[in-house]
Structures are given as C-alpha cells and as structure tokens.
Amino acid sequence: MATTNDIKNGTVLNLDGQLWNVIEFQHVKPGKGGAFVRTKIRNVLSGKVVDKTFNAGLKIETATVDRRDYQYLYQDGEDFVFMDTQDYDQITVPGATVGDAVNFMLENQNVNIALHEGTPLYLELPASVILVITYTEPGLQGDRSSAGTKPATLETGYEIQVPLFVEQGTKVKVDTRDGSYLGRVND
C-alpha cells in the first residue's frame, strides 16, 4: 500500500482488480478545500486512458512491476519472442501487448518490458529509433505545394511522412511515440 503522495509517472496502480499505468499526475492545492491529485491513467490490458482524481493522502494499492531489458529476437505468428539480456531466458509476448511498438522494432533491438507476476504488461521503446527508408518517391525540385512532405516506407514496413529531399536508403530518426520524422542521420 502507498499513498497518493507516492504517485509518479510510470507507477502501476491496482484499482478494483485492474492494473492502471500513470501517464501524468499533478498535485493540486486549491486555496479553499483539501489538496488532491489529478491523474491521467492507462489501463494496462485494454489501453483505455481515463482521468481520475484522488484525495491527497488517500491509501492506494500499487502493483509490483518488474521492468527488465530484453532483446527482440523474432516474430512467431501473432506473437513476438524476446530474450532476457541478463539470464538469456526467452519469453513470448502476444501481439496485442506489443501494439504499435512493432512499427519501430528491428530484430536484435533492446526494449524494456514491464512484467507483473511474470505476465508482460507493456513495452517501453527508446524515445526515438534510427531506421532506413526502403521506399519513397523521388521528390521534385521546387514542389512545395503539399507543405513539403511525402510518404516513405521504413525497413519495418511502417509508413511515415518525410520532407521532399529525403531519398530512398537514407537513415532517419523517428519518434516512437507518434511516428513522426525527427531528422536524417549521417553515418
């Protein structure tokens, strides 16, 4: 058990038998009345995001979550196989748990997996990854009518919008949270 004062980003709460991951939190002390904690929490299993307010000092149940480094090995049908980088044990994570992270994962890439009682809850990727563009149309010089972007396919098969000057075979930095182009990477 903990109190609402212990809430931080990434804390996993056990509310009514369901696990919720804290995305954002804010301690509020109004001029009149008692203090409270305003949170934005995501259901670990369904991915549903809700806003919840707790009174300050309220006892809440936190879930013990073990975050460990794993290496992505391969995809096995709908599931994904990862290897623990410490003891080399392999675990299989369902595709629903991996979610959109599949768009930014390459084989042998390290990811952080949160486990609760041996069950994978979610994956944490780095904030950005470097991927190669496998296909994009050549950009026409002087064509700026469409705000200067064009679709490009990454080596994972995911499609992002890139500036017109980016060519096929270019290494680019991609934000893993929203899939946006962050810039070219020089070797």
Side-chain angles (χ1 to χ4, degrees):
M1 289 298 251
T3 66
T4 53
N5 299 333
D6 301 326
I7 292 178
K8 293 177 179 49
N9 288 346
T11 303
V12 177
L13 307 174
N14 188 349
L15 303 173
D16 302 325
Q18 293 188 2
L19 298 178
W20 297 83
N21 187 19
V22 176
I23 302 168
E24 293 176 20
F25 73 99
Q26 179 183 20
H27 289 275
V28 180
K29 175 75 174 101
K32 187 175 179 182
F36 58 91
V37 179
R38 187 178 295 137
T39 62
K40 185 176 280 190
I41 55 179
R42 177 186 295 124
N43 187 306
V44 170
L45 298 177
S46 70
K48 180 177 159 187
V49 176
V50 296
D51 293 324
K52 185 148 178 75
T53 303
F54 300 98
N55 290 330
L58 181 73
K59 293 232 183 275
I60 52 173
E61 187 178 344
T62 57
T64 51
V65 174
D66 184 22
R67 288 179 177 84
R68 301 180 80 176
D69 286 325
Y70 283 86
Q71 185 179 33
Y72 171 50
L73 296 179
Y74 59 91
Q75 185 171 354
D76 183 19
E78 293 291 313
D79 299 333
F80 295 83
V81 179
F82 293 87
M83 178 183 68
D84 191 326
T85 56
Q86 321 263 264
D87 58 13
Y88 306 111
D89 283 345
Q90 291 185 9
I91 63 166
T92 302
V93 179
T97 303
V98 173
D100 291 338
V102 70
N103 298 327
F104 309 106
M105 286 189 326
L106 291 175
E107 290 182 0
N108 302 322
Q109 179 181 347
N110 286 349
V111 298
N112 214 321
I113 299 180
L115 301 162
H116 173 66
E117 297 173 357
T119 306
L121 300 177
Y122 56 89
L123 271 68
E124 292 175 348
L125 292 174
S128 63
V129 291
I130 296 171
L131 297 169
V132 176
I133 293 179
T134 56
Y135 177 77
T136 187
E137 295 287 331
L140 299 173
Q141 191 64 28
D143 179 17
R144 299 285 182 257
S145 62
S146 61
T149 64
K150 62 182 178 179
T153 305
L154 299 171
E155 58 189 309
T156 59
Y158 187 65
E159 192 173 279
I160 64 168
Q161 291 294 317
V162 297
L164 291 174
F165 59 81
V166 176
E167 299 171 353
Q168 189 168 317
T170 306
K171 285 186 178 180
V172 294
K173 194 175 205 178
V174 181
D175 189 327
T176 58
R177 294 166 294 202
D178 60 5
S180 62
Y181 165 84
L182 296 175
R184 287 187 292 184
V185 176
N186 298 325
D187 288 332

